[in-house]
Amino acid sequence: MPKRERRIALVTGANKGIGFEVVRQLARKGFHVFLGARNAKAGQSAAEKLRTEGEVTFLEIDVSKPESVRRAAEEFAKHADHPDSLVNNAGILIDDDKDVLTISPEAFETTLRTNTLGPLIVSQEFVPLLKKSAAPRIVNVSSGGGQLEGGADGWAPGYCVSKTALNGVTVQLAAALPKCAVNSVCPGWVRTEMGGEGATRSVAEGAATIVWLATDAPHDLTGKFVKDRKVIPW
């Protein structure tokens, strides 16, 4: 594919797990993919592994730190004119996140900073570049744990609340960016370091709808919460 026609994507938190697989699948589709990670050594190693799949460039970015995000946008702009797809995948689930009655303010705030504020900061910083795309897309990787529909079951309250709030960020971004498809996605329970070995889905299965939203989903699908290519309540 000629370089001028190649679509470009940025995937955060992509040195392992679902993010790594999203980069792989996008690269196979002919995207030039920027693999975002906060750990430079891990990110560079991951990008090197995936270069057999296509054009993959490491981008150092810590989504919890505005200055890091700003530097990442500046560095990105040195290599590409714009991204067509931004996948806000970076997220954390910390050990102290077990009980809503005992979770510390520090643990709660740390979780929200990465899982909710991070995607907002990244989107804000990259919107000027996204607007240069003919069909820009933002995909926020959320979780069924963030659904208000059906109520909570007490699992990882900080993480779940952060994903509920991320869905709120998604609809706000969709309203602010009418020419951009902005959606949240639930990848399901995936066999990753976070999901554990007992999870019901492979990493490839978890990445599939994220990649679809970043590439081929109808562009007028926006402001929604999606699982397995279907809109779900949240």
Side-chain angles (χ1 to χ4, degrees), residues 58-84:
F58 168 64
L59 184 70
E60 185 173 351
I61 180 170
D62 183 339
V63 305
S64 70
K65 298 178 179 178
E67 186 55 40
S68 174
V69 176
R70 193 172 302 113
R71 286 196 303 268
E74 292 171 355
E75 184 64 24
F76 179 97
K78 295 176 183 177
H79 299 273
D81 181 59
H82 67 273
D84 296 287

mmCIF file with all atom_site columns, all heavy atoms in Angstrom, residues 58-84:
data_model
loop_
_atom_site.group_PDB
_atom_site.id
_atom_site.type_symbol
_atom_site.label_atom_id
_atom_site.label_alt_id
_atom_site.label_comp_id
_atom_site.label_asym_id
_atom_site.label_entity_id
_atom_site.label_seq_id
_atom_site.pdbx_PDB_ins_code
_atom_site.Cartn_x
_atom_site.Cartn_y
_atom_site.Cartn_z
_atom_site.occupancy
_atom_site.B_iso_or_equiv
_atom_site.pdbx_formal_charge
_atom_site.auth_seq_id
_atom_site.auth_comp_id
_atom_site.auth_asym_id
_atom_site.auth_atom_id
_atom_site.pdbx_PDB_model_num
ATOM 1   N N   . PHE A 1 58 ? 7.279  2.684  18.061 1.00 0.00 ? 58 PHE A N   1
ATOM 2   C CA  . PHE A 1 58 ? 7.081  2.878  19.494 1.00 0.00 ? 58 PHE A CA  1
ATOM 3   C C   . PHE A 1 58 ? 6.920  4.357  19.819 1.00 0.00 ? 58 PHE A C   1
ATOM 4   O O   . PHE A 1 58 ? 7.622  5.214  19.276 1.00 0.00 ? 58 PHE A O   1
ATOM 5   C CB  . PHE A 1 58 ? 8.261  2.313  20.288 1.00 0.00 ? 58 PHE A CB  1
ATOM 6   C CG  . PHE A 1 58 ? 8.263  2.739  21.737 1.00 0.00 ? 58 PHE A CG  1
ATOM 7   C CD1 . PHE A 1 58 ? 7.242  2.358  22.585 1.00 0.00 ? 58 PHE A CD1 1
ATOM 8   C CD2 . PHE A 1 58 ? 9.276  3.548  22.231 1.00 0.00 ? 58 PHE A CD2 1
ATOM 9   C CE1 . PHE A 1 58 ? 7.218  2.776  23.915 1.00 0.00 ? 58 PHE A CE1 1
ATOM 10  C CE2 . PHE A 1 58 ? 9.278  3.961  23.559 1.00 0.00 ? 58 PHE A CE2 1
ATOM 11  C CZ  . PHE A 1 58 ? 8.244  3.571  24.395 1.00 0.00 ? 58 PHE A CZ  1
ATOM 12  N N   . LEU A 1 59 ? 5.981  4.667  20.736 1.00 0.00 ? 59 LEU A N   1
ATOM 13  C CA  . LEU A 1 59 ? 5.775  6.030  21.215 1.00 0.00 ? 59 LEU A CA  1
ATOM 14  C C   . LEU A 1 59 ? 5.671  5.992  22.734 1.00 0.00 ? 59 LEU A C   1
ATOM 15  O O   . LEU A 1 59 ? 4.764  5.366  23.286 1.00 0.00 ? 59 LEU A O   1
ATOM 16  C CB  . LEU A 1 59 ? 4.498  6.626  20.616 1.00 0.00 ? 59 LEU A CB  1
ATOM 17  C CG  . LEU A 1 59 ? 4.221  8.090  20.970 1.00 0.00 ? 59 LEU A CG  1
ATOM 18  C CD1 . LEU A 1 59 ? 5.220  9.007  20.270 1.00 0.00 ? 59 LEU A CD1 1
ATOM 19  C CD2 . LEU A 1 59 ? 2.785  8.473  20.576 1.00 0.00 ? 59 LEU A CD2 1
ATOM 20  N N   . GLU A 1 60 ? 6.595  6.648  23.398 1.00 0.00 ? 60 GLU A N   1
ATOM 21  C CA  . GLU A 1 60 ? 6.558  6.675  24.868 1.00 0.00 ? 60 GLU A CA  1
ATOM 22  C C   . GLU A 1 60 ? 5.455  7.609  25.337 1.00 0.00 ? 60 GLU A C   1
ATOM 23  O O   . GLU A 1 60 ? 5.425  8.789  24.976 1.00 0.00 ? 60 GLU A O   1
ATOM 24  C CB  . GLU A 1 60 ? 7.906  7.127  25.426 1.00 0.00 ? 60 GLU A CB  1
ATOM 25  C CG  . GLU A 1 60 ? 7.986  7.057  26.946 1.00 0.00 ? 60 GLU A CG  1
ATOM 26  C CD  . GLU A 1 60 ? 9.381  7.342  27.490 1.00 0.00 ? 60 GLU A CD  1
ATOM 27  O OE1 . GLU A 1 60 ? 10.336 7.429  26.691 1.00 0.00 ? 60 GLU A OE1 1
ATOM 28  O OE2 . GLU A 1 60 ? 9.505  7.473  28.725 1.00 0.00 ? 60 GLU A OE2 1
ATOM 29  N N   . ILE A 1 61 ? 4.529  7.070  26.146 1.00 0.00 ? 61 ILE A N   1
ATOM 30  C CA  . ILE A 1 61 ? 3.415  7.876  26.641 1.00 0.00 ? 61 ILE A CA  1
ATOM 31  C C   . ILE A 1 61 ? 2.879  7.280  27.932 1.00 0.00 ? 61 ILE A C   1
ATOM 32  O O   . ILE A 1 61 ? 2.545  6.107  27.991 1.00 0.00 ? 61 ILE A O   1
ATOM 33  C CB  . ILE A 1 61 ? 2.300  7.992  25.572 1.00 0.00 ? 61 ILE A CB  1
ATOM 34  C CG1 . ILE A 1 61 ? 1.127  8.843  26.091 1.00 0.00 ? 61 ILE A CG1 1
ATOM 35  C CG2 . ILE A 1 61 ? 1.818  6.627  25.096 1.00 0.00 ? 61 ILE A CG2 1
ATOM 36  C CD1 . ILE A 1 61 ? 0.113  9.197  25.007 1.00 0.00 ? 61 ILE A CD1 1
ATOM 37  N N   . ASP A 1 62 ? 2.826  8.098  28.959 1.00 0.00 ? 62 ASP A N   1
ATOM 38  C CA  . ASP A 1 62 ? 2.202  7.739  30.227 1.00 0.00 ? 62 ASP A CA  1
ATOM 39  C C   . ASP A 1 62 ? 0.916  8.546  30.307 1.00 0.00 ? 62 ASP A C   1
ATOM 40  O O   . ASP A 1 62 ? 0.945  9.758  30.541 1.00 0.00 ? 62 ASP A O   1
ATOM 41  C CB  . ASP A 1 62 ? 3.133  8.068  31.395 1.00 0.00 ? 62 ASP A CB  1
ATOM 42  C CG  . ASP A 1 62 ? 2.563  7.636  32.747 1.00 0.00 ? 62 ASP A CG  1
ATOM 43  O OD1 . ASP A 1 62 ? 1.332  7.458  32.848 1.00 0.00 ? 62 ASP A OD1 1
ATOM 44  O OD2 . ASP A 1 62 ? 3.357  7.494  33.703 1.00 0.00 ? 62 ASP A OD2 1
ATOM 45  N N   . VAL A 1 63 ? -0.223 7.883  30.109 1.00 0.00 ? 63 VAL A N   1
ATOM 46  C CA  . VAL A 1 63 ? -1.492 8.608  29.979 1.00 0.00 ? 63 VAL A CA  1
ATOM 47  C C   . VAL A 1 63 ? -1.908 9.301  31.265 1.00 0.00 ? 63 VAL A C   1
ATOM 48  O O   . VAL A 1 63 ? -2.769 10.191 31.244 1.00 0.00 ? 63 VAL A O   1
ATOM 49  C CB  . VAL A 1 63 ? -2.619 7.673  29.490 1.00 0.00 ? 63 VAL A CB  1
ATOM 50  C CG1 . VAL A 1 63 ? -2.223 6.989  28.192 1.00 0.00 ? 63 VAL A CG1 1
ATOM 51  C CG2 . VAL A 1 63 ? -3.012 6.644  30.540 1.00 0.00 ? 63 VAL A CG2 1
ATOM 52  N N   . SER A 1 64 ? -1.317 8.916  32.396 1.00 0.00 ? 64 SER A N   1
ATOM 53  C CA  . SER A 1 64 ? -1.678 9.528  33.668 1.00 0.00 ? 64 SER A CA  1
ATOM 54  C C   . SER A 1 64 ? -0.951 10.847 33.911 1.00 0.00 ? 64 SER A C   1
ATOM 55  O O   . SER A 1 64 ? -1.243 11.542 34.879 1.00 0.00 ? 64 SER A O   1
ATOM 56  C CB  . SER A 1 64 ? -1.376 8.572  34.828 1.00 0.00 ? 64 SER A CB  1
ATOM 57  O OG  . SER A 1 64 ? 0.022  8.416  35.012 1.00 0.00 ? 64 SER A OG  1
ATOM 58  N N   . LYS A 1 65 ? -0.035 11.206 33.004 1.00 0.00 ? 65 LYS A N   1
ATOM 59  C CA  . LYS A 1 65 ? 0.773  12.412 33.185 1.00 0.00 ? 65 LYS A CA  1
ATOM 60  C C   . LYS A 1 65 ? 0.611  13.347 31.991 1.00 0.00 ? 65 LYS A C   1
ATOM 61  O O   . LYS A 1 65 ? 1.095  13.046 30.891 1.00 0.00 ? 65 LYS A O   1
ATOM 62  C CB  . LYS A 1 65 ? 2.242  12.038 33.372 1.00 0.00 ? 65 LYS A CB  1
ATOM 63  C CG  . LYS A 1 65 ? 2.487  11.183 34.617 1.00 0.00 ? 65 LYS A CG  1
ATOM 64  C CD  . LYS A 1 65 ? 3.941  10.791 34.749 1.00 0.00 ? 65 LYS A CD  1
ATOM 65  C CE  . LYS A 1 65 ? 4.170  9.950  36.010 1.00 0.00 ? 65 LYS A CE  1
ATOM 66  N NZ  . LYS A 1 65 ? 5.582  9.509  36.129 1.00 0.00 ? 65 LYS A NZ  1
ATOM 67  N N   . PRO A 1 66 ? -0.064 14.480 32.179 1.00 0.00 ? 66 PRO A N   1
ATOM 68  C CA  . PRO A 1 66 ? -0.319 15.398 31.062 1.00 0.00 ? 66 PRO A CA  1
ATOM 69  C C   . PRO A 1 66 ? 0.940  15.796 30.295 1.00 0.00 ? 66 PRO A C   1
ATOM 70  O O   . PRO A 1 66 ? 0.899  15.902 29.061 1.00 0.00 ? 66 PRO A O   1
ATOM 71  C CB  . PRO A 1 66 ? -0.963 16.609 31.749 1.00 0.00 ? 66 PRO A CB  1
ATOM 72  C CG  . PRO A 1 66 ? -1.633 16.037 32.955 1.00 0.00 ? 66 PRO A CG  1
ATOM 73  C CD  . PRO A 1 66 ? -0.713 14.938 33.425 1.00 0.00 ? 66 PRO A CD  1
ATOM 74  N N   . GLU A 1 67 ? 2.042  16.005 30.989 1.00 0.00 ? 67 GLU A N   1
ATOM 75  C CA  . GLU A 1 67 ? 3.269  16.418 30.301 1.00 0.00 ? 67 GLU A CA  1
ATOM 76  C C   . GLU A 1 67 ? 3.787  15.306 29.390 1.00 0.00 ? 67 GLU A C   1
ATOM 77  O O   . GLU A 1 67 ? 4.293  15.559 28.292 1.00 0.00 ? 67 GLU A O   1
ATOM 78  C CB  . GLU A 1 67 ? 4.336  16.817 31.316 1.00 0.00 ? 67 GLU A CB  1
ATOM 79  C CG  . GLU A 1 67 ? 5.603  17.391 30.685 1.00 0.00 ? 67 GLU A CG  1
ATOM 80  C CD  . GLU A 1 67 ? 5.336  18.567 29.764 1.00 0.00 ? 67 GLU A CD  1
ATOM 81  O OE1 . GLU A 1 67 ? 4.486  19.413 30.095 1.00 0.00 ? 67 GLU A OE1 1
ATOM 82  O OE2 . GLU A 1 67 ? 5.966  18.616 28.680 1.00 0.00 ? 67 GLU A OE2 1
ATOM 83  N N   . SER A 1 68 ? 3.670  14.057 29.839 1.00 0.00 ? 68 SER A N   1
ATOM 84  C CA  . SER A 1 68 ? 4.071  12.924 29.015 1.00 0.00 ? 68 SER A CA  1
ATOM 85  C C   . SER A 1 68 ? 3.207  12.835 27.758 1.00 0.00 ? 68 SER A C   1
ATOM 86  O O   . SER A 1 68 ? 3.704  12.568 26.653 1.00 0.00 ? 68 SER A O   1
ATOM 87  C CB  . SER A 1 68 ? 3.974  11.621 29.808 1.00 0.00 ? 68 SER A CB  1
ATOM 88  O OG  . SER A 1 68 ? 4.230  10.498 28.988 1.00 0.00 ? 68 SER A OG  1
ATOM 89  N N   . VAL A 1 69 ? 1.911  13.062 27.916 1.00 0.00 ? 69 VAL A N   1
ATOM 90  C CA  . VAL A 1 69 ? 0.995  13.022 26.773 1.00 0.00 ? 69 VAL A CA  1
ATOM 91  C C   . VAL A 1 69 ? 1.325  14.144 25.795 1.00 0.00 ? 69 VAL A C   1
ATOM 92  O O   . VAL A 1 69 ? 1.325  13.949 24.574 1.00 0.00 ? 69 VAL A O   1
ATOM 93  C CB  . VAL A 1 69 ? -0.467 13.129 27.254 1.00 0.00 ? 69 VAL A CB  1
ATOM 94  C CG1 . VAL A 1 69 ? -1.420 13.195 26.063 1.00 0.00 ? 69 VAL A CG1 1
ATOM 95  C CG2 . VAL A 1 69 ? -0.817 11.949 28.152 1.00 0.00 ? 69 VAL A CG2 1
ATOM 96  N N   . ARG A 1 70 ? 1.631  15.307 26.323 1.00 0.00 ? 70 ARG A N   1
ATOM 97  C CA  . ARG A 1 70 ? 1.987  16.438 25.467 1.00 0.00 ? 70 ARG A CA  1
ATOM 98  C C   . ARG A 1 70 ? 3.262  16.141 24.673 1.00 0.00 ? 70 ARG A C   1
ATOM 99  O O   . ARG A 1 70 ? 3.323  16.392 23.459 1.00 0.00 ? 70 ARG A O   1
ATOM 100 C CB  . ARG A 1 70 ? 2.180  17.693 26.334 1.00 0.00 ? 70 ARG A CB  1
ATOM 101 C CG  . ARG A 1 70 ? 2.252  18.994 25.560 1.00 0.00 ? 70 ARG A CG  1
ATOM 102 C CD  . ARG A 1 70 ? 2.250  20.186 26.488 1.00 0.00 ? 70 ARG A CD  1
ATOM 103 N NE  . ARG A 1 70 ? 1.056  20.200 27.336 1.00 0.00 ? 70 ARG A NE  1
ATOM 104 C CZ  . ARG A 1 70 ? 1.053  20.035 28.650 1.00 0.00 ? 70 ARG A CZ  1
ATOM 105 N NH1 . ARG A 1 70 ? 2.203  19.860 29.299 1.00 0.00 ? 70 ARG A NH1 1
ATOM 106 N NH2 . ARG A 1 70 ? -0.060 20.056 29.338 1.00 0.00 ? 70 ARG A NH2 1
ATOM 107 N N   . ARG A 1 71 ? 4.241  15.579 25.333 1.00 0.00 ? 71 ARG A N   1
ATOM 108 C CA  . ARG A 1 71 ? 5.486  15.230 24.638 1.00 0.00 ? 71 ARG A CA  1
ATOM 109 C C   . ARG A 1 71 ? 5.238  14.160 23.580 1.00 0.00 ? 71 ARG A C   1
ATOM 110 O O   . ARG A 1 71 ? 5.819  14.187 22.492 1.00 0.00 ? 71 ARG A O   1
ATOM 111 C CB  . ARG A 1 71 ? 6.533  14.727 25.635 1.00 0.00 ? 71 ARG A CB  1
ATOM 112 C CG  . ARG A 1 71 ? 7.166  15.818 26.490 1.00 0.00 ? 71 ARG A CG  1
ATOM 113 C CD  . ARG A 1 71 ? 8.441  15.313 27.163 1.00 0.00 ? 71 ARG A CD  1
ATOM 114 N NE  . ARG A 1 71 ? 8.195  14.136 27.984 1.00 0.00 ? 71 ARG A NE  1
ATOM 115 C CZ  . ARG A 1 71 ? 7.911  14.177 29.284 1.00 0.00 ? 71 ARG A CZ  1
ATOM 116 N NH1 . ARG A 1 71 ? 7.827  15.346 29.904 1.00 0.00 ? 71 ARG A NH1 1
ATOM 117 N NH2 . ARG A 1 71 ? 7.704  13.071 29.972 1.00 0.00 ? 71 ARG A NH2 1
ATOM 118 N N   . ALA A 1 72 ? 4.356  13.216 23.903 1.00 0.00 ? 72 ALA A N   1
ATOM 119 C CA  . ALA A 1 72 ? 4.046  12.146 22.957 1.00 0.00 ? 72 ALA A CA  1
ATOM 120 C C   . ALA A 1 72 ? 3.387  12.704 21.697 1.00 0.00 ? 72 ALA A C   1
ATOM 121 O O   . ALA A 1 72 ? 3.690  12.258 20.577 1.00 0.00 ? 72 ALA A O   1
ATOM 122 C CB  . ALA A 1 72 ? 3.138  11.117 23.619 1.00 0.00 ? 72 ALA A CB  1
ATOM 123 N N   . ALA A 1 73 ? 2.490  13.669 21.864 1.00 0.00 ? 73 ALA A N   1
ATOM 124 C CA  . ALA A 1 73 ? 1.842  14.279 20.701 1.00 0.00 ? 73 ALA A CA  1
ATOM 125 C C   . ALA A 1 73 ? 2.857  15.018 19.837 1.00 0.00 ? 73 ALA A C   1
ATOM 126 O O   . ALA A 1 73 ? 2.800  14.956 18.594 1.00 0.00 ? 73 ALA A O   1
ATOM 127 C CB  . ALA A 1 73 ? 0.731  15.235 21.161 1.00 0.00 ? 73 ALA A CB  1
ATOM 128 N N   . GLU A 1 74 ? 3.789  15.682 20.475 1.00 0.00 ? 74 GLU A N   1
ATOM 129 C CA  . GLU A 1 74 ? 4.838  16.383 19.731 1.00 0.00 ? 74 GLU A CA  1
ATOM 130 C C   . GLU A 1 74 ? 5.726  15.394 18.980 1.00 0.00 ? 74 GLU A C   1
ATOM 131 O O   . GLU A 1 74 ? 6.092  15.624 17.820 1.00 0.00 ? 74 GLU A O   1
ATOM 132 C CB  . GLU A 1 74 ? 5.677  17.233 20.683 1.00 0.00 ? 74 GLU A CB  1
ATOM 133 C CG  . GLU A 1 74 ? 4.913  18.410 21.282 1.00 0.00 ? 74 GLU A CG  1
ATOM 134 C CD  . GLU A 1 74 ? 5.689  19.102 22.389 1.00 0.00 ? 74 GLU A CD  1
ATOM 135 O OE1 . GLU A 1 74 ? 6.785  18.620 22.763 1.00 0.00 ? 74 GLU A OE1 1
ATOM 136 O OE2 . GLU A 1 74 ? 5.201  20.142 22.893 1.00 0.00 ? 74 GLU A OE2 1
ATOM 137 N N   . GLU A 1 75 ? 6.064  14.297 19.629 1.00 0.00 ? 75 GLU A N   1
ATOM 138 C CA  . GLU A 1 75 ? 6.902  13.281 18.992 1.00 0.00 ? 75 GLU A CA  1
ATOM 139 C C   . GLU A 1 75 ? 6.145  12.612 17.842 1.00 0.00 ? 75 GLU A C   1
ATOM 140 O O   . GLU A 1 75 ? 6.713  12.364 16.777 1.00 0.00 ? 75 GLU A O   1
ATOM 141 C CB  . GLU A 1 75 ? 7.321  12.229 20.027 1.00 0.00 ? 75 GLU A CB  1
ATOM 142 C CG  . GLU A 1 75 ? 8.267  11.165 19.504 1.00 0.00 ? 75 GLU A CG  1
ATOM 143 C CD  . GLU A 1 75 ? 9.607  11.720 19.062 1.00 0.00 ? 75 GLU A CD  1
ATOM 144 O OE1 . GLU A 1 75 ? 10.017 12.799 19.528 1.00 0.00 ? 75 GLU A OE1 1
ATOM 145 O OE2 . GLU A 1 75 ? 10.265 11.054 18.224 1.00 0.00 ? 75 GLU A OE2 1
ATOM 146 N N   . PHE A 1 76 ? 4.874  12.309 18.070 1.00 0.00 ? 76 PHE A N   1
ATOM 147 C CA  . PHE A 1 76 ? 4.050  11.702 17.016 1.00 0.00 ? 76 PHE A CA  1
ATOM 148 C C   . PHE A 1 76 ? 4.062  12.578 15.763 1.00 0.00 ? 76 PHE A C   1
ATOM 149 O O   . PHE A 1 76 ? 4.204  12.077 14.634 1.00 0.00 ? 76 PHE A O   1
ATOM 150 C CB  . PHE A 1 76 ? 2.619  11.517 17.526 1.00 0.00 ? 76 PHE A CB  1
ATOM 151 C CG  . PHE A 1 76 ? 1.674  10.934 16.520 1.00 0.00 ? 76 PHE A CG  1
ATOM 152 C CD1 . PHE A 1 76 ? 1.402  9.574  16.513 1.00 0.00 ? 76 PHE A CD1 1
ATOM 153 C CD2 . PHE A 1 76 ? 1.036  11.749 15.585 1.00 0.00 ? 76 PHE A CD2 1
ATOM 154 C CE1 . PHE A 1 76 ? 0.527  9.035  15.579 1.00 0.00 ? 76 PHE A CE1 1
ATOM 155 C CE2 . PHE A 1 76 ? 0.160  11.215 14.646 1.00 0.00 ? 76 PHE A CE2 1
ATOM 156 C CZ  . PHE A 1 76 ? -0.088 9.854  14.649 1.00 0.00 ? 76 PHE A CZ  1
ATOM 157 N N   . ALA A 1 77 ? 3.890  13.884 15.967 1.00 0.00 ? 77 ALA A N   1
ATOM 158 C CA  . ALA A 1 77 ? 3.788  14.823 14.850 1.00 0.00 ? 77 ALA A CA  1
ATOM 159 C C   . ALA A 1 77 ? 5.077  14.888 14.024 1.00 0.00 ? 77 ALA A C   1
ATOM 160 O O   . ALA A 1 77 ? 5.053  15.328 12.867 1.00 0.00 ? 77 ALA A O   1
ATOM 161 C CB  . ALA A 1 77 ? 3.417  16.206 15.353 1.00 0.00 ? 77 ALA A CB  1
ATOM 162 N N   . LYS A 1 78 ? 6.177  14.442 14.607 1.00 0.00 ? 78 LYS A N   1
ATOM 163 C CA  . LYS A 1 78 ? 7.441  14.401 13.856 1.00 0.00 ? 78 LYS A CA  1
ATOM 164 C C   . LYS A 1 78 ? 7.458  13.252 12.850 1.00 0.00 ? 78 LYS A C   1
ATOM 165 O O   . LYS A 1 78 ? 8.227  13.261 11.896 1.00 0.00 ? 78 LYS A O   1
ATOM 166 C CB  . LYS A 1 78 ? 8.624  14.243 14.815 1.00 0.00 ? 78 LYS A CB  1
ATOM 167 C CG  . LYS A 1 78 ? 8.842  15.423 15.746 1.00 0.00 ? 78 LYS A CG  1
ATOM 168 C CD  . LYS A 1 78 ? 9.980  15.126 16.718 1.00 0.00 ? 78 LYS A CD  1
ATOM 169 C CE  . LYS A 1 78 ? 10.174 16.254 17.727 1.00 0.00 ? 78 LYS A CE  1
ATOM 170 N NZ  . LYS A 1 78 ? 11.240 15.932 18.723 1.00 0.00 ? 78 LYS A NZ  1
ATOM 171 N N   . HIS A 1 79 ? 6.620  12.253 13.080 1.00 0.00 ? 79 HIS A N   1
ATOM 172 C CA  . HIS A 1 79 ? 6.627  11.046 12.253 1.00 0.00 ? 79 HIS A CA  1
ATOM 173 C C   . HIS A 1 79 ? 5.412  10.914 11.353 1.00 0.00 ? 79 HIS A C   1
ATOM 174 O O   . HIS A 1 79 ? 5.463  10.205 10.347 1.00 0.00 ? 79 HIS A O   1
ATOM 175 C CB  . HIS A 1 79 ? 6.694  9.806  13.154 1.00 0.00 ? 79 HIS A CB  1
ATOM 176 C CG  . HIS A 1 79 ? 7.921  9.742  14.004 1.00 0.00 ? 79 HIS A CG  1
ATOM 177 N ND1 . HIS A 1 79 ? 9.105  9.189  13.565 1.00 0.00 ? 79 HIS A ND1 1
ATOM 178 C CD2 . HIS A 1 79 ? 8.143  10.170 15.274 1.00 0.00 ? 79 HIS A CD2 1
ATOM 179 C CE1 . HIS A 1 79 ? 10.008 9.267  14.523 1.00 0.00 ? 79 HIS A CE1 1
ATOM 180 N NE2 . HIS A 1 79 ? 9.456  9.862  15.574 1.00 0.00 ? 79 HIS A NE2 1
ATOM 181 N N   . ALA A 1 80 ? 4.303  11.552 11.726 1.00 0.00 ? 80 ALA A N   1
ATOM 182 C CA  . ALA A 1 80 ? 3.072  11.409 10.957 1.00 0.00 ? 80 ALA A CA  1
ATOM 183 C C   . ALA A 1 80 ? 2.254  12.686 11.033 1.00 0.00 ? 80 ALA A C   1
ATOM 184 O O   . ALA A 1 80 ? 2.304  13.411 12.023 1.00 0.00 ? 80 ALA A O   1
ATOM 185 C CB  . ALA A 1 80 ? 2.254  10.233 11.490 1.00 0.00 ? 80 ALA A CB  1
ATOM 186 N N   . ASP A 1 81 ? 1.506  12.955 9.982  1.00 0.00 ? 81 ASP A N   1
ATOM 187 C CA  . ASP A 1 81 ? 0.695  14.163 9.906  1.00 0.00 ? 81 ASP A CA  1
ATOM 188 C C   . ASP A 1 81 ? -0.514 14.091 10.829 1.00 0.00 ? 81 ASP A C   1
ATOM 189 O O   . ASP A 1 81 ? -0.949 15.094 11.395 1.00 0.00 ? 81 ASP A O   1
ATOM 190 C CB  . ASP A 1 81 ? 0.227  14.368 8.458  1.00 0.00 ? 81 ASP A CB  1
ATOM 191 C CG  . ASP A 1 81 ? -0.605 15.624 8.295  1.00 0.00 ? 81 ASP A CG  1
ATOM 192 O OD1 . ASP A 1 81 ? -0.100 16.721 8.605  1.00 0.00 ? 81 ASP A OD1 1
ATOM 193 O OD2 . ASP A 1 81 ? -1.770 15.508 7.874  1.00 0.00 ? 81 ASP A OD2 1
ATOM 194 N N   . HIS A 1 82 ? -1.061 12.892 10.971 1.00 0.00 ? 82 HIS A N   1
ATOM 195 C CA  . HIS A 1 82 ? -2.276 12.730 11.773 1.00 0.00 ? 82 HIS A CA  1
ATOM 196 C C   . HIS A 1 82 ? -2.505 11.255 12.070 1.00 0.00 ? 82 HIS A C   1
ATOM 197 O O   . HIS A 1 82 ? -2.014 10.392 11.343 1.00 0.00 ? 82 HIS A O   1
ATOM 198 C CB  . HIS A 1 82 ? -3.497 13.267 11.013 1.00 0.00 ? 82 HIS A CB  1
ATOM 199 C CG  . HIS A 1 82 ? -3.821 12.450 9.800  1.00 0.00 ? 82 HIS A CG  1
ATOM 200 N ND1 . HIS A 1 82 ? -3.245 12.693 8.574  1.00 0.00 ? 82 HIS A ND1 1
ATOM 201 C CD2 . HIS A 1 82 ? -4.624 11.353 9.633  1.00 0.00 ? 82 HIS A CD2 1
ATOM 202 C CE1 . HIS A 1 82 ? -3.688 11.789 7.700  1.00 0.00 ? 82 HIS A CE1 1
ATOM 203 N NE2 . HIS A 1 82 ? -4.527 10.962 8.322  1.00 0.00 ? 82 HIS A NE2 1
ATOM 204 N N   . PRO A 1 83 ? -3.265 10.939 13.122 1.00 0.00 ? 83 PRO A N   1
ATOM 205 C CA  . PRO A 1 83 ? -3.790 9.579  13.286 1.00 0.00 ? 83 PRO A CA  1
ATOM 206 C C   . PRO A 1 83 ? -5.206 9.521  12.715 1.00 0.00 ? 83 PRO A C   1
ATOM 207 O O   . PRO A 1 83 ? -5.951 10.497 12.781 1.00 0.00 ? 83 PRO A O   1
ATOM 208 C CB  . PRO A 1 83 ? -3.814 9.396  14.807 1.00 0.00 ? 83 PRO A CB  1
ATOM 209 C CG  . PRO A 1 83 ? -4.080 10.776 15.323 1.00 0.00 ? 83 PRO A CG  1
ATOM 210 C CD  . PRO A 1 83 ? -3.496 11.752 14.324 1.00 0.00 ? 83 PRO A CD  1
ATOM 211 N N   . ASP A 1 84 ? -5.565 8.390  12.152 1.00 0.00 ? 84 ASP A N   1
ATOM 212 C CA  . ASP A 1 84 ? -6.946 8.173  11.747 1.00 0.00 ? 84 ASP A CA  1
ATOM 213 C C   . ASP A 1 84 ? -7.737 7.536  12.881 1.00 0.00 ? 84 ASP A C   1
ATOM 214 O O   . ASP A 1 84 ? -8.948 7.749  12.985 1.00 0.00 ? 84 ASP A O   1
ATOM 215 C CB  . ASP A 1 84 ? -6.994 7.268  10.507 1.00 0.00 ? 84 ASP A CB  1
ATOM 216 C CG  . ASP A 1 84 ? -6.332 7.922  9.306  1.00 0.00 ? 84 ASP A CG  1
ATOM 217 O OD1 . ASP A 1 84 ? -6.927 8.851  8.748  1.00 0.00 ? 84 ASP A OD1 1
ATOM 218 O OD2 . ASP A 1 84 ? -5.204 7.515  8.948  1.00 0.00 ? 84 ASP A OD2 1
#
